[in-house]
Amino acid sequence: MARTTEHTQYGMTHETLGSLFAISDGMSYAWTAPMIPYLISDRSHIKTTLAEAEWLETILMMGALCGLPTTIYLVDKIGRKRSLLLASFTMILAWSTIALGPNIIYLYVARFFSGMAGDMAFVAAPMYVAEIADREIRGFLSGIIYLMMLIGCIIMYSVGPYFPFYVVSIVGCSVTLLEPNINVDEEILEISKAIERQKTERGRILDLFVIPSNRKGMLIMTVLNGGQHLCAISVILMNLHLILEAAGSIYIDSSQAAIIFSVVMLIAAAFASLQVDKYGRKVLLITSSILTGCCLLALAIYFNLKITGYDNILNVSWIPIVSVMIYAAVFKIGMGIVPIIVTAEIFPAKMKAIGMTVADAMLTVQTTYKNYVSIEYYTENYSNLS
């Protein structure tokens, strides 16, 4: 029992340190929400059209998609920890390019490589935890990466609208540089030996489809990742300021609402991380899915009324604010955190790198497509919503 507790403590320490990278990744993910309104404004230092600015969202996901072959190779070839350190270095270069780039092309390149680096945080860190953590708190530890990401969103929403353009890049670089290069291998040597033995049994991509248990795992991950993005989380996170401004609410400023939104998500995710091992994945998923659907339905009805010219829309302009706040809470208690936990647990050791990377690929493709559709729709209807 004492030895298990010791392993758990070291696993928690390493996961927390490794997940610090996810703060920077969360900042990158949420970067477009406060920055697109700035870039398309008259005060922007880079002349940018709305169409150009909105591609900054999709190109991040394109980078993540293109980075998947590198991820699947590096996590097994050089290890989880070194992969995270390499990704951190790439992210530092990306933030520096965003801060110093003189035109939109530099921003595109930086966002592309930010997407590539972000893959490492959401494959290597959960994989490591699933391999070393004690079963009783594995769900909590796997959820830490999402908590770190949400902290990054809060930082971006708090800094982006109120400080000069380059400040967020300085913060992003500073957070990435915090990741220490400590060695905990000696303390977890017993577990590491068992893991290394299992990892010598190399898996093949074909095994995902010919082995029944792996096929079932892929089906589960396809449904979970598909459901996560059908809930529009990437669209909302990347466009929160524009969505709230388009809603035309008279009750609260969009920048302030975005900060509250991200704080609510963080609190909800922390609660879910603590309860996921107690109540189970299924209960949280079902509860979250139903309540999230109700929030999105309320938003859809509101914007439909606004587009069709409903006369008294200002009288109900509290609806989008309340809906997104409830959405922030109910999405994160289930759909927002359970998929990444299940992904890290569902594949055997020899298939973990391949399985998690393919699952991440499906998530990335779904997000890229959904963002592209949203860009087309928003561009077409922008004049009606603004």
Side-chain angles (χ1 to χ4, degrees):
M1 180 65 180
R3 189 60 179 164
T4 299
T5 302
E6 182 181 350
H7 286 160
T8 297
Q9 290 173 343
Y10 283 117
M12 183 180 294
T13 300
H14 196 282
E15 163 66 0
T16 302
L17 295 176
S19 297
L20 284 174
F21 176 75
I23 297 179
S24 179
D25 193 51
M27 292 181 63
S28 180
Y29 200 69
W31 182 85
T32 53
M35 290 297 107
I36 285 182
Y38 164 77
L39 288 170
I40 63 176
S41 69
D42 294 334
R43 54 193 177 89
S44 173
H45 69 291
I46 297 176
K47 188 176 180 181
T48 309
T49 66
L50 177 62
E52 290 173 333
E54 287 174 337
W55 274 103
L56 290 167
E57 301 173 17
T58 302
I59 205 165
L60 179 77
M61 307 314 300
M62 292 172 63
L65 185 62
C66 293
L68 289 171
T70 304
T71 298
I72 198 172
Y73 175 78
L74 290 179
V75 291
D76 274 339
K77 187 67 176 180
I78 67 174
R80 285 60 157 145
K81 181 180 176 182
R82 289 178 180 175
S83 296
L84 284 169
L85 292 174
L86 178 61
S88 298
F89 177 73
T90 304
M91 191 67 84
I92 290 172
L93 294 180
W95 281 122
S96 301
T97 303
I98 289 174
L100 303 174
N103 58 54
I104 193 69
I105 300 299
Y106 284 82
L107 300 186
Y108 285 155
V109 172
R111 294 285 288 169
F112 182 86
F113 282 99
S114 294
M116 292 187 68
D119 272 341
M120 290 298 179
F122 285 89
V123 173
M127 186 188 305
Y128 186 87
V129 171
E131 291 170 342
I132 71 168
D134 188 66
R135 183 177 180 179
E136 280 72 19
I137 64 165
R138 186 186 298 157
F140 167 71
L141 293 182
S142 297
I144 286 179
I145 189 170
Y146 259 145
L147 299 184
M148 295 293 187
M149 179 183 176
L150 290 172
I151 290 174
C153 292
I154 293 174
I155 293 172
M156 179 56 64
Y157 291 159
S158 301
V159 174
Y162 304 110
F163 291 87
F165 181 83
Y166 61 86
V167 172
V168 294
S169 295
I170 294 175
V171 175
C173 284
S174 301
V175 169
T176 306
L177 287 170
L178 288 175
E179 190 171 346
N181 188 21
I182 66 170
N183 184 9
V184 296
D185 292 338
E186 183 178 347
E187 291 83 356
I188 59 170
L189 186 58
E190 272 183 39
I191 299 177
S192 296
K193 286 180 178 179
I195 293 170
E196 289 302 320
R197 177 183 57 79
Q198 294 177 56
K199 284 163 59 178
T200 58
E201 304 169 2
R202 293 293 180 184
R204 305 170 300 163
I205 294 181
L206 186 62
D207 291 340
L208 287 175
F209 306 99
V210 299
I211 298 176
S213 60
N214 290 337
R215 282 204 308 270
K216 185 176 181 181
M218 288 303 300
L219 176 61
I220 291 172
M221 290 318 307
T222 300
V223 172
L224 287 179
N225 288 337
Q228 194 175 51
H229 287 281
L230 285 173
C231 289
I233 183 59
S234 60
V235 174
I236 290 178
L237 277 180
M238 291 184 174
N239 298 278
L240 185 57
H241 293 72
L242 289 177
I243 291 172
L244 294 175
E245 288 174 7
S249 177
I250 61 176
Y251 296 98
I252 188 172
D253 178 73
S254 62
S255 296
Q256 296 172 349
I259 295 172
I260 298 172
F261 174 89
S262 56
V263 171
V264 171
M265 290 192 83
L266 177 62
I267 295 172
F271 171 80
S273 296
L274 293 171
Q275 301 302 320
V276 67
D277 291 309
K278 180 179 180 180
Y279 293 109
R281 283 66 165 152
K282 185 180 294 186
V283 172
L284 293 178
L285 276 174
I286 293 173
T287 303
S288 174
S289 299
I290 294 173
L291 296 178
T292 298
C294 293
C295 293
L296 292 176
L297 178 62
L299 281 172
I301 292 173
Y302 176 85
F303 278 104
N304 185 63
L305 291 174
K306 185 173 175 63
I307 291 173
T308 54
Y310 179 68
D311 293 336
N312 298 319
I313 195 68
L314 286 180
N315 294 334
V316 292
S317 62
W318 55 268
I319 291 178
I321 299 296
V322 173
S323 295
V324 296
M325 296 308 168
I326 298 176
Y327 173 93
V330 298
F331 177 82
K332 275 301 171 184
I333 66 171
M335 288 301 299
I337 201 165
V338 171
I340 194 172
I341 295 173
V342 174
T343 306
E345 297 174 333
I346 204 167
F347 296 108
K350 68 176 182 177
M351 294 301 301
K352 203 171 289 291
I354 296 175
M356 291 186 65
T357 306
V358 172
D360 192 50
M362 293 189 298
L363 183 149
T364 303
V365 170
Q366 291 162 357
T367 305
T368 303
Y369 175 74
K370 195 165 185 65
N371 280 355
Y372 175 77
V373 172
S374 299
I375 288 172
E376 294 296 312
Y377 175 82
Y378 188 84
T379 303
E380 181 181 348
N381 295 278
Y382 183 77
S383 60
N384 294 330
L385 295 178
S386 58

